[in-house]
Amino acid sequence: MIVVMNVNVEEPKVEAVKDKLHQMGYKTHLIYGTARLVIGAIGQESSVAPTGIETMPGVEKVMRVMAPYKLVSREVKSDDSIIDVGGVEIGGNEIVVMAGPCAVESYEQISEIARGVQESGAQIMRGGAFKPRSSPYSFQGLEEEGLQYLAKVRSEVNLKFVTEVITPTDVELVSSYADIIQVGARNMQNYTLLRELGRSEKPVLLKRGYASTIEEWLMAAEYIMNEGNYQIILCERGIRTFENYTRNTLDISAVPIVKQLSHLPVIVDPSHSAGNWRLVSALSNAAIAAGADGILVEVHNLPDEALCDGAQSLTIENYQQMMEELKKVAVAVNRYLPLFSTKLE
Ligand code: PEP
Ligand code: MN
């Protein structure tokens, strides 16, 4: 249920509506749009229907939200959400590029890659310190040491960073370093982790599970939002299909679908979708053409020696070429890649 009020309504009127909803057993969320203030009233199926709210001062209308996810839906918030990551806006007109290695391997490695991608227009670097590997014998990440390298490089170059958390007990630690916390495909339905992140103040990058429907993905985002963290970026990273030429099948249609269903920004990870660096540029172009707000891409200084996902990692040079292509696609869809545009022209 949502209660729509004018965005300039006086505070006491909002408080009165909230109090009434709380008495009826609802939890409330205030969602500010450009023209209206929406109070999302979330309750168990058994909650009393909020009668009597419609006539309260300042209330324009009361509406049922038809979608199973509520707070993430366009029904609740019609304008796009823009997530501000220390001045980098995700979900606005700017295309945001997050680039870096699958895993942080050493200070030298992350430093060289970060400088390389920054020069070609990335705004955010990526690098895993806690790696959810399919095999227990594969490299599992440098853990806190990796976070320290990311933080050191951040202070040396003009980049924010995104890194994954794989367990609820590490949320505090990872939040104390990262600008954006990533939830990987394998953890998309780890509801304890999602709830914990919902109580964090950091933006969350929520990857789609490789066997999850769009609705399940949006419900996962709802878990985070329902705890009070509205800063969520959705990331399509390919789903498992019968096709085995690629590691996963990039579900490109998920981009415009999610854009219709939700106000949250959507980005695409072409690297885990493809599993092959040769496909990454084409998939990135497709993502931006389809309306994605950015990409998350794996780049390595020495892909042949990478401890993780070398086959899908671009060299710094290939990354630069990809960005040149991507810039043209961005312009064609009335978006832009700011740093790169100023550098090349
Ligand atoms: C990653 O981005 O490092 C990663 C592990 O991806 P995914 O969770 O999409 O497999
Ligand atoms: Mn990877």
Side-chain angles (χ1 to χ4, degrees):
M1 204 71 68
I2 56 171
V3 180
V4 181
M5 303 183 86
N6 187 286
V7 79
N8 299 316
V9 71
E10 299 86 349
E11 184 72 26
K13 293 182 181 164
V14 179
E15 285 308 312
V17 173
K18 277 172 62 186
D19 286 348
K20 177 112 186 186
L21 289 164
H22 293 161
Q23 282 162 23
M24 290 171 164
Y26 287 89
K27 187 168 166 182
T28 56
H29 295 264
L30 293 191
I31 299 139
Y32 288 90
T34 40
R36 45 180 221 167
L37 162 64
V38 167
I39 303 181
I42 310 293
Q44 303 284 336
E45 316 281 277
S46 59
S47 301
V48 192
T51 45
I53 300 282
E54 209 139 20
T55 51
M56 290 182 76
V59 173
E60 284 179 7
K61 57 184 167 187
V62 178
M63 284 160 61
R64 240 189 113 94
V65 180
M66 300 315 284
Y69 39 84
K70 310 291 175 193
L71 301 169
V72 308
S73 79
R74 281 260 181 222
E75 290 175 74
V76 165
K77 184 169 185 282
S78 55
D79 50 336
D80 292 341
S81 284
I82 296 179
I83 314 298
D84 187 333
V85 182
V88 178
E89 292 192 341
I90 308 175
N93 211 27
E94 179 175 330
I95 296 295
V96 176
V97 180
M98 310 183 188
C102 181
V104 179
E105 299 169 18
S106 66
Y107 167 74
E108 290 70 26
Q109 175 242 22
I110 187 67
S111 165
E112 187 177 336
I113 300 168
R115 281 162 221 269
V117 299
Q118 198 253 359
E119 272 180 28
S120 298
Q123 298 97 323
I124 296 175
M125 64 176 155
R126 63 147 293 149
F130 293 90
K131 293 305 303 174
R133 304 304 300 279
S134 299
S135 164
Y137 310 121
S138 302
F139 175 58
Q140 305 285 312
L142 295 181
E143 303 188 343
E144 189 168 3
E145 191 185 341
L147 298 174
Q148 284 163 352
Y149 295 153
L150 284 161
K152 182 163 159 54
V153 171
R154 171 179 53 198
S155 69
E156 293 162 357
V157 298
N158 186 23
L159 290 175
K160 308 289 169 205
F161 78 82
V162 54
T163 196
E164 183 164 353
V165 66
I166 56 181
T167 173
T169 46
D170 284 335
V171 168
E172 207 181 322
L173 174 75
V174 177
S175 304
S176 71
Y177 288 94
D179 299 294
I180 305 175
I181 308 177
Q182 178 173 322
V183 176
R186 290 158 189 78
N187 264 321
M188 191 207 81
Q189 286 180 313
N190 180 340
Y191 299 119
T192 317
L193 180 62
L194 299 177
R195 280 213 181 91
E196 192 63 36
L197 288 166
R199 293 188 281 267
S200 152
E201 311 235 301
K202 288 286 161 92
V204 177
L205 189 150
L206 178 65
K207 289 192 137 191
R208 178 181 180 182
Y210 45 69
S212 298
T213 63
I214 289 171
E215 189 170 302
E216 287 163 343
W217 185 21
L218 293 175
M219 291 305 280
E222 188 79 13
Y223 263 91
I224 300 171
M225 253 196 203
N226 192 35
E227 294 297 325
N229 187 351
Y230 302 141
Q231 304 180 89
I232 303 171
I233 303 137
L234 298 167
C235 179
E236 160 63 40
R237 48 77 74 208
I239 50 174
R240 196 165 271 188
T241 68
F242 56 82
E243 178 53 64
N244 58 12
Y245 186 82
T246 46
R247 182 174 175 184
N248 294 281
T249 299
L250 174 59
D251 182 7
I252 198 74
S253 55
V255 175
I257 291 171
V258 169
K259 280 272 166 197
Q260 280 167 27
L261 298 175
S262 174
H263 52 87
L264 293 173
V266 185
I267 67 164
V268 164
D269 172 349
S271 309
H272 291 88
S273 301
N276 175 349
W277 70 267
R278 288 183 179 80
L279 304 174
V280 167
S281 180
L283 298 186
S284 298
N285 289 343
I288 300 310
D293 298 298
I295 53 168
L296 174 75
V297 58
E298 287 187 342
V299 178
H300 202 285
N301 52 340
L302 297 166
D304 293 342
E305 292 169 28
L307 294 181
C308 184
D309 287 350
Q312 66 194 35
S313 299
L314 297 173
T315 58
I316 292 169
E317 201 187 353
N318 287 334
Y319 171 78
Q320 185 174 355
Q321 280 168 16
M322 180 199 75
M323 291 293 279
E324 277 177 50
E325 282 293 308
L326 201 61
K327 182 195 164 194
K328 294 183 214 156
V329 179
V331 169
V333 292
N334 287 322
R335 308 286 290 267
Y336 69 102
L337 285 157
L339 287 170
F340 199 57
S341 321
T342 48
K343 190 173 154 43
L344 277 196
E345 277 163 10

